[in-house]
Amino acid sequence: MSGADLAAAQPRLRLMPGPLPRLILRRLALSVISLFAVATIVFWVIALLPGDAAERILGRDATPAALAALRAQLHLADPLLVRYLAWLRGMLAGDFGMSMAASRPVLPYVLTHLQNTLLLAGIALAVHIPLSIGLGLAGAAARRDGPLDTGLSVAVLIGMSVPEFVVGIALVAWLATAWSLFPPLALIDQAHTVGDFLYLTALPVITLNFAMTAYVVRQTRASMVEVLRSDHVRAATLRGLSPLRVLVFHALPGALPPAINAVALNAAWLVGGIVVVETVFNYPGLGRLLVESIGFHDVPMIQGAAIALSGAYIAVNLVADIVTLLLNPKLRTAA
């Protein structure tokens, strides 16, 4: 290639986005397609379920005339395709419709519950990150097959094999019913201070951390054991440095990237796993709203909650991918 060709190619190369902008643009384009697919699949799956919102609202004693009147009011007698296209037009204009069961706009209701869900997830992550990495470090520093190492290994196996709803029910029976340490339900509308809120959400936070912590502890411990066998850590030990200084300043920086990757994956899991925990503890978040709306066949509310959960899941996954790329130079080159 001549010098003139190289000079002409340089501006084009400068206009090409880097790996991270390319990843973000590609994910944003796929996010729009994913959200459209979620909205379409959820609508038609709910339509296949027996019964409708009119039967759920009026109950078993409703007369045929009352059912027909309510179905006409809710447009349930319209063809499914007409209802779907009407909802899709509204969504593209920023109107998610009215709740059939609550007779209120869907969007503000969904946003309020999404805020509660993100708040609970944020508290769970604030506890999860230092706890899981600290336990992983303790497991790596402990004597092999000693009491601490064995105890952590058993706890990790239990945490990875027991479903979160079983953990939640066990905590309610143990810490709420038997010992009366925490309330069995997370009724956050009764909280007047930050301390009240943390107290009411203690059991959901413990349940989420029990499910998430095991994987990160295992990942951190395995990474630390590998790093502790490396030459630079052995050299630091031979120079007479204290075990704590070797562990924190020489081994920990090399073991952190896999642990942070595991934390990022857990954050993505949290968006889906929190649905079960919210239902067990009656927490007024997006997961419980979704479950209740399915019970009423409230299609607009189900659509709004499903899209909000999917959007949050996509956003968390995007952040996890960005963190992974920033921590791994090989992946940045391949992206």
Side-chain angles (χ1 to χ4, degrees):
M1 182 179 293
S2 66
D5 293 337
L6 287 173
Q10 284 179 354
R12 291 199 299 271
L13 291 175
R14 282 197 295 268
L15 291 175
M16 291 179 63
L20 274 181
R22 280 206 306 273
L23 171 70
I24 294 173
L25 292 175
R26 190 164 59 239
R27 287 302 181 89
L28 289 178
L30 291 174
S31 300
V32 175
I33 299 173
S34 301
L35 291 178
F36 174 76
V38 168
T40 303
I41 292 171
V42 168
F43 179 87
W44 291 102
V45 167
I46 295 299
L48 292 176
L49 294 177
D52 58 21
E55 293 180 358
R56 299 303 175 94
I57 295 172
L58 296 179
R60 297 180 178 177
D61 298 331
T63 62
L67 285 172
L70 185 55
R71 283 173 179 146
Q73 179 186 342
L74 299 176
H75 302 284
L76 294 176
D78 296 345
L80 282 175
L81 184 60
V82 173
R83 289 161 50 193
Y84 172 71
L85 292 177
W87 179 85
L88 192 61
R89 283 195 299 271
M91 188 194 70
L92 293 176
D95 180 11
F96 281 65
M98 295 286 291
S99 166
M100 294 178 178
S103 299
R104 63 175 66 182
V106 167
L107 189 57
Y109 207 58
V110 167
L111 290 179
T112 301
H113 285 72
L114 176 62
Q115 180 182 353
N116 291 339
T117 293
L118 294 179
L119 191 56
L120 178 60
I123 296 172
L125 280 177
V127 175
H128 167 64
I129 294 173
L131 175 67
S132 55
I133 293 179
L135 288 176
L137 292 178
R143 183 170 58 85
R144 298 293 171 270
D145 300 327
L148 180 58
D149 188 39
T150 304
L152 278 176
S153 299
V154 172
V156 164
L157 285 176
I158 294 174
M160 295 181 71
S161 56
V162 180
E164 58 269 24
F165 70 90
V166 175
V167 176
I169 293 172
L171 289 177
V172 169
W174 177 32
L175 298 180
T177 304
W179 289 6
S180 301
L181 293 178
F182 299 106
L185 301 178
L187 304 176
I188 58 172
D189 55 340
Q190 299 177 2
H192 303 291
T193 64
V194 176
D196 291 344
F197 187 89
L198 295 177
Y199 174 67
L200 291 169
T201 56
L203 288 185
V205 169
I206 295 173
T207 303
L208 289 170
N209 272 280
F210 195 88
M212 293 190 299
T213 300
Y215 177 62
V216 181
V217 169
R218 185 177 182 182
Q219 190 72 29
T220 305
R221 181 187 176 280
S223 302
M224 280 296 293
V225 169
E226 185 177 347
V227 173
L228 286 172
R229 294 172 180 166
S230 62
D231 293 338
H232 75 280
V233 174
R234 289 180 178 175
T237 304
L238 292 175
R239 289 203 304 270
L241 300 179
S242 66
L244 181 61
R245 186 172 179 180
V246 171
L247 191 69
V248 174
F249 294 102
H250 294 268
L252 182 58
L256 270 183
I260 294 176
N261 281 345
V263 170
L265 292 175
N266 268 339
W269 171 87
L270 186 60
V271 177
I274 207 169
V275 173
V276 177
V277 176
E278 285 181 356
T279 305
V280 170
F281 292 100
N282 205 28
Y283 182 82
L286 208 53
R288 202 192 80 182
L289 176 66
L290 181 62
V291 173
E292 291 177 350
S293 301
I294 291 174
F296 279 100
H297 280 226
D298 192 346
V299 177
M301 193 66 83
I302 295 171
Q303 296 278 77
I307 289 177
L309 273 176
S310 302
Y313 184 82
I314 290 170
V316 171
N317 267 294
L318 178 60
V319 173
D321 286 343
I322 292 174
V323 171
T324 303
L325 279 175
L326 291 175
L327 292 175
N328 194 329
K330 293 180 180 177
L331 292 179
R332 282 205 302 273
T333 304

